[in-house]
């Protein structure tokens, strides 16, 4: 069934003004300035009446199997049902394993990615987890990336964290070079997605890796860089050297030495660092443990995919131009992950999009040409979800 979306205020993510779109076969077939160019009697027509239409959010870091496990077996977070993503406007997601890459492995992660694909989402994953040597399915990082379709990189490999393997420079370089070469062979991202902990060493290992090796800076992709203010300054400097840095949309308490995601993005964009080298992710399904100095966990929250659309709402409420902040949620993410048909609204791309209402909140979500949310009401439910779960 063809769908015609008329009178959209299109952010592609740049502001293109009023445009009309034709959608079919899960793709955007055409984007036109005049509606009559798309005349088709067989299309289902939705008039957006000038409301803002933006690309679906790409969440480059979510624990789709459920993360956690840092406070006994009962603290293993359950897998995230598809509605946690779709109702939050996340149309594509990259799954990762975290601290617990022992009771969870690449097989489970791949199975969950396949499940999300069956539910209609765009879904990929990284092989490995926090530790060295990285957990894999085939026995090697390189083979996992080259031969397993959904695997696009390795991570989240932990550095500057008491839960990490305390990797050496040589270990990091070996893993990063495997990812880089595999990415070239398979036409994939080929990045090492690096979990940054609270440790004082910050991004020192990455700076040394760049200084000592021939690997391009883009291969090193640090996340959680807003968790300490000094770490964030280091990250902006690395972005100038060619790394893409990832801000996590986790909750930040008053007085905490961290930047909330909306503040971090504004600081980044105001710093003069390259605008295309910053992304946001949710850490959805991951645990957000708070430790004392002895590494004893004090309490635990879990990350939510909806933190991304909430962050976008805060930025817009604060008066930031949508066209300026949107790339960090969409096209920048597709760029570093080499997801060639995502993150932009133009002919040939996946028909993944969100309609925003006048209050800067999500009202509609389309994924691969199918409405998952219409007028704020959920339209599709996953295998183990029920309409009352809305
Ligand atoms: Zn992490």
């Amino acid at each position: 069934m063809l769908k015609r979306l008329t009178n959209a205020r299109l952010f592609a993510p740049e502001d293109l003004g009023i445009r009309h779109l034709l959608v079919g076969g899960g793709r955007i077939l055409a984007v036109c300035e005049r509606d009559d160019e798309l005349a088709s009697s067989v299309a289902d027509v939705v008039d957006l009446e000038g409301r803002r239409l933006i690309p679906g959010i790409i969440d480059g870091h979510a624990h789709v199997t459920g993360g956690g496990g840092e406070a006994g077996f009962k603290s293993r977070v359950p897998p995230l049902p598809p509605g946690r993503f779709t109702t939050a406007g996340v149309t594509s997601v990259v799954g990762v394993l975290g601290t617990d890459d022992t009771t969870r492995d690449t097989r489970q992660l791949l199975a969950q990615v396949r499940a999300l694909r069956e539910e209609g989402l765009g879904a990929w994953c990284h092989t490995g987890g926090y530790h060295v040597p990285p957990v894999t399915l085939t026995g090697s990082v390189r083979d996992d990336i080259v031969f397993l379709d959904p695997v696009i990189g390795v991570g989240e490999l932990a550095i500057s964290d008491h839960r990490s393997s305390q990797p050496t420079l040589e270990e990091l370089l070996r893993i990063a070079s495997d990812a880089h070469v595999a990415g070239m062979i398979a036409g994939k991202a080929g990045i090492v997605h690096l979990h940054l902990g609270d440790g004082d060493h910050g991004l020192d290992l990455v700076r040394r890796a760049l200084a000592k090796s021939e690997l391009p800076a883009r291969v090193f992709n640090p996340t959680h860089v807003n968790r300490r203010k000094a770490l964030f300054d280091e990250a902006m400097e690395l972005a100038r050297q060619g790394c893409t840095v990832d801000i996590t949309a986790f909750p930040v308490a008053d007085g905490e030495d961290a930047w909330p995601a909306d503040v971090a993005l504004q600081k980044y964009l105001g710093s003069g660092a390259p605008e295309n080298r910053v992304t946001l992710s949710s850490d959805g399904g991951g645990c957000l443990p708070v430790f004392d100095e002895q590494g004893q966990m004090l309490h635990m929250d879990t990350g939510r995919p909806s933190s991304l659309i909430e962050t976008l709402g805060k930025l817009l409420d604060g008066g930031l131009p949508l066209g300026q902040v949107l790339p960090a949620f969409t096209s920048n993410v597709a760029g570093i992950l080499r997801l060639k048909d995502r993150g932009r609204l133009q002919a040939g791309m996946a028909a993944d999009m969100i309609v925003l209402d006048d209050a800067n909140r999500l009202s509609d979500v389309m994924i691969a040409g199918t409405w998952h949310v219409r007028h704020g009401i959920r339209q599709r439910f996953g295998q183990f979800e029920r309409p009352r779960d809305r």
Side-chain angles (χ1 to χ4, degrees):
M1 181 67 175
L2 294 172
K3 292 187 177 73
R4 240 169 80 205
L5 305 181
T6 62
N7 301 305
R9 172 81 186 276
L10 185 65
F11 289 82
E14 64 279 11
D15 185 356
L16 294 181
I18 296 294
R19 288 287 188 277
H20 313 276
L21 290 83
L22 187 66
V23 167
R27 305 245 147 212
I28 299 170
L29 301 176
V31 177
C32 298
E33 285 182 52
R34 291 199 355 252
D35 187 25
D36 53 16
E37 293 173 58
L38 296 178
S40 162
S41 55
V42 292
D44 175 36
V45 182
V46 170
D47 188 347
L48 293 175
E49 298 172 335
R51 283 193 293 277
R52 292 163 294 176
L53 184 68
I54 66 174
I57 293 171
I58 306 172
D59 186 351
H61 182 124
H63 295 273
V64 297
T65 58
E70 278 121 325
F73 292 100
K74 71 177 181 196
S75 68
R76 299 166 83 247
V77 180
L80 293 177
R84 295 286 296 278
F85 296 102
T86 59
T87 60
V90 173
T91 57
S92 290
V93 60
V94 180
V96 290
L97 296 177
T99 315
D100 180 7
D101 44 16
T102 302
T103 77
R104 303 188 192 273
D105 61 17
T106 314
R107 289 165 182 264
Q108 287 175 24
L109 181 56
L110 272 162
Q112 189 63 18
V113 163
R114 301 268 188 202
L116 290 171
R117 286 183 175 189
E118 288 180 8
E119 300 283 12
L121 280 125
W124 294 267
C125 62
H126 293 306
T127 189
Y130 266 28
H131 300 113
V132 178
V135 57
T136 66
L137 191 147
T138 63
S140 98
V141 164
R142 209 189 311 171
D143 284 358
D144 274 14
I145 296 172
V146 170
F147 293 112
L148 304 176
D149 159 50
V151 178
I152 59 174
V154 58
E156 59 172 319
L157 185 78
I159 61 171
S160 297
D161 195 305
H162 65 94
R163 294 163 291 177
S164 78
S165 293
Q166 313 299 327
T168 63
L169 177 60
E170 283 64 36
E171 285 172 327
L172 174 62
L173 289 176
R174 181 59 48 84
I175 293 166
S177 64
D178 274 345
H180 174 55
V181 171
M184 292 195 299
I185 293 170
K188 294 180 177 180
I191 53 172
V192 50
H193 185 59
L194 290 161
H195 160 103
L196 266 291
D198 283 328
D200 291 335
H201 296 294
L203 283 158
D204 182 53
L205 197 56
V206 178
R207 281 191 296 274
R208 287 195 283 138
L210 292 179
K212 195 181 168 179
S213 76
E214 298 79 29
L215 288 166
R218 71 170 296 282
V219 173
F220 300 94
N221 176 223
T223 186
H224 313 323
V225 294
N226 52 319
R227 72 184 304 152
R228 278 196 307 122
K229 292 175 181 175
L231 177 65
F232 193 64
D233 293 338
E234 291 182 55
M236 289 191 288
E237 193 47 50
L238 272 187
R240 288 196 182 85
Q241 292 184 42
C243 292
T244 293
V245 299
D246 187 48
I247 293 166
T248 305
F250 40 40
V252 172
D254 282 344
E256 199 178 330
D257 177 29
W259 296 118
D262 57 316
V263 178
L265 182 60
Q266 289 180 66
K267 285 190 179 295
Y268 183 95
L269 294 173
S271 75
E275 294 200 352
N276 61 341
R277 292 201 194 122
V278 63
T279 59
L280 273 84
S281 66
S282 76
D283 210 4
C287 68
L288 302 169
V290 181
F291 298 101
D292 66 14
E293 301 99 61
Q294 297 303 317
Q296 195 79 18
M297 199 187 74
L298 299 174
H299 59 89
M300 189 192 290
D301 290 324
T302 58
R304 294 171 298 110
S306 56
S307 62
L308 291 171
I309 191 79
E310 288 164 11
T311 299
L312 182 64
K314 271 187 209 158
L315 288 160
L316 298 181
D317 292 348
L320 274 103
L322 180 54
Q324 191 191 2
V325 295
L326 206 43
F329 297 81
T330 58
S331 54
N332 288 359
V333 196
I336 182 66
L337 298 177
R338 289 184 173 154
L339 303 177
K340 296 176 188 70
D341 61 349
R342 315 277 156 155
R344 299 190 57 78
L345 295 181
Q346 63 191 45
M349 306 295 271
D352 294 350
M353 53 194 102
I354 298 171
V355 181
L356 295 179
D357 67 17
D358 294 339
N360 297 327
R361 299 297 175 266
L362 169 160
S363 73
D364 305 81
V365 180
M366 175 184 278
I367 310 179
T370 298
W371 292 111
H372 283 248
V373 181
R374 274 295 275 144
H375 305 301
I377 298 168
R378 204 163 159 196
Q379 307 293 310
R380 287 175 63 99
F381 297 86
Q383 184 75 37
F384 298 103
E385 297 174 303
R386 296 285 177 275
R388 63 179 152 72
D389 297 339
R390 75 178 55 153

